[in-house]
Amino acid sequence: MLNIQGLSKTWGRDTMDERVALDQVSLQLRKGEFLTVIGGNGSGKSTLLNLIAGVHQPDAGRIYLDGVDLTALPEHRRAAHLSRVFQDPLLGSAGGMTVEENLALAARRGRRRGLCWGITSAERASFKKMLAQLELGLEERMSSRVGLLSGGQRQALTLLMAAMRDPKLLLLDEHTAALDPKTAARVLALTNRIVGEYGLTTIMVTHSMRDAIDCGGRLIMMREGRIVYAAEGVQKNGLKAADLIGKFQSDAPAAC
Amino acid sequence: MLNILLGAVALGLLWSMATLGVYMTYRVLDVADLTVEGSIVLGASVAAVIIQQGGNPLKATLAAMAAGMAAGLATGLLHTLLKIPSLLAGILSMIALYSINIRVMLGTSNIPLLRLRTVFSYLQGAGLSKNQSAMLTGGAFAGLAIAAVYWFLGTELGCALRATGNSPQMARAQGIDTDAGKLLGYVLANGLVGLSGGLIAQYLGFSDVQMGSGSIVIALASLIIGEVVFARSGGRLRALCAMVLGSVAYRLIIALVFEAGMPATDLKLFTALTVAAALYLPTAKQQVGQKLSQRKEAKQRAEHPRTLQDLGKGHNG
């Protein structure tokens, strides 16, 4: 489904601050697979996601999704193929627009937008049903501005928006990191439910070892722009946080 | 006096399209577009030249709108294609338009329209005074503009435009080309401003290369007055109507201040101060609200102590 070949990105090339963010990363994902990506700050995990999403252009390498070469497509054109949830709850939805307007925008992802009404009454009814399944009471607040919702509610809404239009790939960029522990757990449970229900091929970047182990069927650890450890299936299910910390340290280069 | 007030209402209605245009950029797209200073004169100049050459006033008015759209396209391209910051892109267009406007006016800086047929002549022919005709004609244009903007912002494209201004990152993640959105926003907004300019020139009876100076501040003043006075709550339709009402209110205020004896040369200072005060208003409200609720809470605690500490505070205070 997803095929990444030799993806590289260096920030500030040929300057004093030159820093390799991603170094020849190759990665294949099968349809319906749920991959968690773990790594410290500057490990390249967010860069990987941003390159897939088209926020930045890679220096080298290619990205194929379901046979389509995404590498040259601008960010908004890739949205037809993949969807995203950001770390900052404020970024994934339009705070000045209503809940239903946000959903209507997501319902048109990857489609031509013309001069038909931006939201139809048939859509309103189906949005109401979808929101009710979140069990957050949002179905009663469809015409409230999203800016009035809590961070957890906004992430839940963004998740729902990301699941619409049957994306071939869902990218989650530390999407629970900005929430309090209780809300983060709820949003993560909802993530697992939505990914399962819609059968989404998913990459979740996280810095929580616990979440990386508990979610999905495959895990990779990144450091200094490379994949330094990978586990899946039984091997992954048997992992403990302590094992991962061990991996972090055992592979660490000598301090200099 | 009555005629002065009627004139103020008429002028406010003619300016309201410019306010709606600034609403599109300042509120919907969230950019301060200074192109307005030039595109309003461009609209005025295009309309004036066409009418002076014996053209149909209605066609001249539409041409003014098209010219405004072209000016918006220029700013939009500077911003999206050349990646020039929006404020600077607007300033560049504004400066360039100064020269262009003189070229449009065939090398002169002023075109008088005395005794020529204007878009207001149709109703004047039916026996109305100039101000009455300007009020009705201006009101009709303003009504059409409100309807058009309301309709557009409700469409798929309009929703995409609103998302572009509100949360560009979200918009791109939902497949919206934010550069195209901004471009379209600049074009439509300055089309409205150009239309306004074309009508204003016909009402005032001239087009002058200097007439746009300060127009962005006037439009902002109208926008803020409209929002504060007429649209504290309610939906988009009400907000759009408030732009027109705000434009009229601004002109009435100016007329009254002139009547009270303010020298005409102080108008721009007065307008700038009005806008500064109005922009401070939301902050001021918050500050005062905080103070009041703090005071209320302190008083409540003193009267109904809940803890020993409260009791202590009550005695001290």
Side-chain angles (χ1 to χ4, degrees):
Chain A
M1 178 53 105
L2 176 70
N3 184 5
I4 294 172
Q5 297 286 351
L7 212 55
S8 295
K9 179 76 185 177
T10 304
W11 299 118
R13 188 172 272 259
D14 297 328
T15 68
M16 297 252 299
D17 304 317
E18 182 172 296
R19 197 170 60 77
V20 176
L22 218 55
D23 187 9
Q24 295 277 327
V25 168
S26 295
L27 179 71
Q28 279 79 39
L29 225 62
R30 289 180 295 271
K31 191 171 162 59
E33 228 173 357
F34 187 162
L35 172 78
T36 57
V37 183
I38 189 154
N41 288 331
S43 62
K45 56 190 193 320
S46 285
T47 305
L48 175 65
L49 228 54
N50 282 335
L51 289 183
I52 299 173
V55 180
H56 309 296
Q57 285 295 315
D59 298 333
R62 303 216 77 84
I63 304 161
Y64 301 93
L65 184 61
D66 203 15
V68 182
D69 186 353
L70 295 186
T71 323
L73 287 185
E75 193 182 348
H76 67 270
R77 296 269 308 275
R78 294 192 200 193
H81 307 281
L82 54 85
S83 62
R84 285 185 280 164
V85 181
F86 305 97
Q87 178 177 357
D88 185 347
L90 304 182
L91 293 181
S93 46
M97 299 174 76
T98 65
V99 171
E100 58 185 23
E101 283 172 338
N102 272 273
L103 287 165
L105 284 167
R108 285 160 181 75
R109 187 172 58 235
R111 273 172 39 190
R112 247 191 108 76
R113 290 162 210 265
L115 294 175
C116 305
W117 279 116
I119 180 166
T120 64
S121 44
E123 278 180 323
R124 278 199 182 91
S126 80
F127 293 163
K128 205 174 174 99
K129 272 190 207 143
M130 291 167 66
L131 286 169
Q133 284 167 1
L134 295 182
E135 292 167 7
L136 291 170
L138 288 178
E139 67 276 12
E140 301 302 325
R141 302 181 64 184
M142 298 228 319
S143 48
S144 296
R145 278 178 46 233
V146 168
L148 299 172
L149 305 184
S150 70
Q153 287 173 325
R154 277 184 88 153
Q155 283 309 63
L157 176 67
T158 311
L159 261 172
L160 188 61
M161 287 161 61
M164 292 170 97
R165 302 276 306 144
D166 200 16
K168 291 176 201 153
L169 180 65
L170 170 64
L171 302 175
L172 306 170
D173 188 3
E174 299 193 45
H175 70 303
T176 61
L179 306 173
D180 66 76
K182 207 173 140 196
T183 313
R186 288 186 67 180
V187 169
L188 203 64
L190 183 68
T191 307
N192 282 318
R193 218 183 86 196
I194 286 182
V195 168
E197 268 172 30
Y198 291 79
L200 299 173
T201 312
T202 305
I203 301 181
M204 179 172 91
V205 163
T206 175
H207 58 232
S208 155
M209 312 234 184
R210 188 75 271 147
D211 296 349
I213 293 169
D214 288 350
C215 297
R218 216 176 131 191
L219 175 151
I220 58 173
M221 183 191 285
M222 293 191 67
R223 197 176 55 232
E224 291 173 351
R226 292 194 186 146
I227 299 172
V228 292
Y229 174 73
E232 65 181 301
V234 186
Q235 190 193 359
K236 174 183 176 288
N237 293 339
L239 278 175
K240 301 212 162 31
D243 301 336
L244 283 182
I245 293 169
K247 296 279 173 220
F248 252 126
Q249 287 157 351
S250 69
D251 294 325
C256 49
Chain B
M1 183 68 193
L2 183 67
N3 209 33
I4 290 173
L5 291 181
L6 283 182
V9 172
L11 199 55
L13 287 170
L14 300 178
W15 265 90
S16 65
M17 276 73 74
T19 310
L20 283 166
V22 169
Y23 174 86
M24 287 280 281
T25 46
Y26 189 67
R27 280 291 181 242
V28 178
L29 280 185
D30 198 22
V31 295
D33 177 25
L34 292 180
T35 316
V36 172
E37 301 255 321
S39 57
I40 199 162
V41 185
L42 181 65
S45 308
V46 165
V49 164
I50 292 176
I51 289 171
Q52 194 195 35
Q53 311 272 321
N56 177 304
L58 211 53
K59 277 185 193 157
T61 308
L62 293 178
M65 183 159 123
M69 289 170 107
L73 182 70
T75 309
L77 288 175
L78 286 174
H79 179 50
T80 58
L81 209 62
L82 307 188
K83 307 288 175 206
I84 294 169
S86 58
L87 199 62
L88 201 51
I91 292 175
L92 292 175
S93 282
M94 174 183 101
I95 293 297
L97 279 168
Y98 187 90
S99 302
I100 292 172
N101 288 333
I102 292 178
R103 276 183 178 270
V104 167
M105 291 192 281
L106 311 171
T108 65
S109 58
N110 186 299
I111 289 184
L113 292 175
L114 292 171
R115 284 181 241 292
L116 289 172
R117 267 187 76 79
T118 68
V119 75
F120 307 113
S121 306
Y122 301 110
L123 285 178
Q124 275 177 278
L128 292 183
S129 77
K130 185 185 167 195
N131 277 340
Q132 284 169 335
S133 166
M135 275 171 64
L136 283 176
T137 314
F141 272 105
L144 280 175
I146 288 177
V149 173
Y150 178 75
W151 166 76
F152 174 73
L153 290 179
T155 64
E156 291 177 340
L157 213 52
C159 286
L161 202 78
R162 283 159 58 212
T164 298
N166 193 232
S167 175
Q169 194 159 359
M170 173 271 192
R172 281 192 293 273
Q174 301 306 336
I176 294 163
D177 184 348
T178 48
D179 277 353
K182 281 184 191 165
L183 202 59
L184 183 63
Y186 275 116
V187 168
L188 295 177
N190 282 290
L192 286 167
V193 175
L195 172 64
S196 203
L199 290 170
I200 291 166
Q202 296 177 62
Y203 176 74
L204 296 179
F206 64 87
S207 165
D208 188 284
V209 73
Q210 300 285 0
M211 71 194 290
S213 150
S215 54
I216 181 73
V217 185
I218 292 172
L220 276 178
S222 308
L223 179 145
I224 292 163
I225 292 171
E227 282 181 344
V228 171
V229 180
F230 303 105
R232 284 161 175 261
S233 62
R236 194 158 58 247
L237 187 60
R238 181 156 169 189
L240 293 175
C241 293
M243 294 304 105
V244 176
L245 294 176
S247 308
V248 173
Y250 170 81
R251 286 292 152 188
L252 285 173
I253 293 169
I254 296 299
L256 291 176
V257 173
F258 276 153
E259 276 304 294
M262 187 183 79
T265 44
D266 283 347
L267 174 63
K268 287 196 164 75
L269 174 65
F270 177 80
T271 308
L273 289 176
T274 312
V275 173
L279 285 174
Y280 171 63
L281 210 64
T283 318
K285 239 167 78 182
Q286 218 175 8
Q287 285 168 345
V288 170
Q290 247 164 20
K291 277 240 170 75
L292 283 180
S293 68
Q294 274 168 7
R295 224 176 266 173
K296 202 171 151 192
E297 170 135 349
K299 203 174 155 196
Q300 266 179 355
R301 285 188 171 228
E303 283 168 6
H304 307 283
R306 269 171 287 182
T307 64
L308 279 174
Q309 271 179 341
D310 288 348
L311 217 56
K313 271 181 204 153
H315 280 302
N316 293 340

